[in-house]
Amino acid sequence: MLAIGSTSLFDMPSYRKGHTVYLDQLELDFRPKRKVVFLSTPIESYAINGKEIYVKREDLCCRDSPNMPPLAKLRGASILLEKLKAQGVEILGNQDTRVSMSGLGVAALCKELSMSCILGYPDGREGAPVHLQKAQELGAELYPLRPNYIRILYAQTKKYVEGKKGYMLPFGLVCAESVLAVAEEASTVPDELLTGTLVICVGTGTMLTGVLLGLRRLPVVVGISSGMSLANQERNIRRLLFEANVSQARLSEINDKLRLLPAIMPYSEECEFEVPFPTHKNYDAKAWLWLCQHVDELEPPVLFWNIGAGC
């Protein structure tokens, strides 16, 4: 086992106990007729330092939808948006960063659902980044803001959106729908690939939580932060697992197998390390770099979870 421990996620006296949840029971209460089709994704094999590394290509989940960015978190976001549409919501707001693909994804989903979309983002001298320009081409309203702490930017965008009678999406699309949709796909990974190590990039912790819930057995899971503090990631993971009503036995297993590591470079800095498949330079490429640097220390088989790619 790696000597890279993490604090316990679940040493909380108020944490719910005594419930058992298996993937078969993780059913969403709303199953819309999906306008955007999200596909199951392949597992490929690559050789690194003479060792075979398996890669879950979740960047291919939207490959039949030309407007959608390659981002697996949209599996669940699409369900959330269709729920909101059914409830009468017509205007959606999302707080983007200058590198995340979530804004473009929300804009693409809104176009498919005939909803309006407002994307707040920190402005810069060079104007809107390419992915937000593409979102604007899809009909999104861009709401540039003076750079500040993300919580302040989110509050400013939320006020603007709600002033237009819109609904503000959670930052980073942290929601149960994303977790459960990702868990469903994670359940397809063969058991024989889950006896060693899984490496994944961690942003808000939403994708990681879905993977932890969906895998039929847990390898050692190493999460490499893209920039968010480990404390905030742990808080998100705890809440999402709590909402999923996960059994105490599963929580103990996660506590034993999960290792969260801090970012290896600043969030806004692109990783120029060569990756043999499409990935995002601010996210998954950094986790791949870490994997390549530590491949000789990882218990095989090693599985890399590629969440998405840039545009």
Side-chain angles (χ1 to χ4, degrees):
M1 182 174 293
L2 297 171
I4 53 174
S6 172
T7 58
S8 173
L9 288 175
F10 311 111
D11 291 339
M12 301 172 60
S14 61
Y15 203 88
R16 186 181 302 175
K17 298 181 179 180
H19 297 268
T20 301
V21 172
Y22 301 98
L23 185 66
D24 295 345
Q25 297 169 290
L26 296 178
E27 292 297 333
L28 302 174
D29 59 3
F30 182 83
R31 291 283 183 177
K33 294 181 179 179
R34 308 295 294 277
K35 283 199 170 186
V36 180
V37 177
F38 291 86
L39 304 174
S40 188
T41 53
I43 296 175
E44 299 176 344
S45 175
Y46 296 86
I48 302 296
N49 293 350
K51 300 179 183 298
E52 189 172 26
I53 306 299
Y54 298 94
V55 178
K56 178 65 171 168
R57 292 288 307 278
E58 276 286 81
D59 58 291
L60 296 173
C61 68
C62 308
R63 58 189 181 273
D64 285 355
S65 303
N67 288 330
M68 301 294 294
L71 179 62
K73 188 180 287 187
L74 299 176
R75 289 182 182 278
S78 65
I79 298 174
L80 175 60
L81 265 61
E82 293 195 42
K83 277 187 180 181
L84 294 170
K85 174 75 172 180
Q87 294 168 6
V89 175
E90 294 295 337
I91 301 174
L92 287 172
N94 184 72
Q95 181 59 49
D96 210 339
T97 68
R98 294 189 62 83
V99 299
S100 169
M101 292 291 107
S102 68
L104 176 55
V106 169
L109 289 170
C110 284
K111 181 177 177 63
E112 293 292 334
L113 296 171
S114 300
M115 302 174 78
S116 297
C117 176
I118 300 170
L119 302 178
Y121 72 99
D123 203 2
R125 292 181 179 178
E126 61 275 23
V130 172
H131 64 280
L132 289 180
Q133 293 177 32
K134 291 184 178 181
Q136 189 173 41
E137 292 171 3
L138 293 175
E141 175 188 347
L142 300 188
Y143 185 55
L145 296 162
R146 183 177 179 178
N148 209 324
Y149 292 111
I150 193 66
R151 65 179 182 276
I152 295 175
L153 297 177
Y154 182 88
Q156 291 173 333
T157 301
K158 182 178 180 180
K159 181 178 180 180
Y160 179 74
V161 170
E162 291 181 346
K164 290 177 172 283
K165 309 300 182 184
Y167 178 90
M168 187 67 180
L169 294 168
F171 177 69
L173 303 178
V174 179
C175 60
E177 290 81 3
S178 291
V179 169
L180 301 184
V182 171
E184 190 171 35
E185 178 63 21
S187 71
T188 67
V189 177
D191 284 357
E192 56 265 30
L193 296 183
L194 301 174
T195 59
T197 310
L198 185 149
V199 178
I200 184 172
C201 175
V202 184
T204 60
T206 307
M207 294 293 298
L208 171 60
T209 305
V211 171
L212 292 171
L213 282 180
L215 296 177
R216 293 293 181 177
R217 62 184 298 176
L218 281 185
V220 171
V221 178
V222 181
I224 310 298
S225 175
S226 63
M228 181 178 283
S229 72
L230 299 188
N232 285 338
Q233 290 172 342
E234 290 174 356
R235 187 179 303 113
N236 287 337
I237 294 168
R238 279 197 299 265
R239 178 173 67 80
L240 291 167
L241 289 173
F242 180 85
E243 291 174 355
N245 207 14
V246 180
S247 72
Q248 197 65 30
R250 187 65 162 182
L251 292 179
S252 296
E253 187 180 15
I254 291 171
N255 232 12
D256 182 56
K257 297 294 184 68
L258 177 60
R259 308 288 183 267
L260 293 178
L261 298 183
I264 63 174
M265 61 182 69
Y267 172 69
S268 60
E269 182 179 339
E270 293 186 347
C271 177
E272 299 297 341
F273 186 73
E274 185 176 352
V275 183
F277 46 86
T279 191
H280 196 298
K281 291 183 177 182
N282 296 87
Y283 294 94
D284 305 271
K286 297 174 182 179
W288 180 258
L289 169 60
W290 183 93
L291 183 154
C292 292
Q293 291 174 336
H294 296 84
V295 65
D296 292 333
E297 306 166 31
L298 305 178
E299 182 71 25
V302 178
L303 175 63
F304 181 79
W305 201 278
N306 193 52
I307 295 170
C311 63

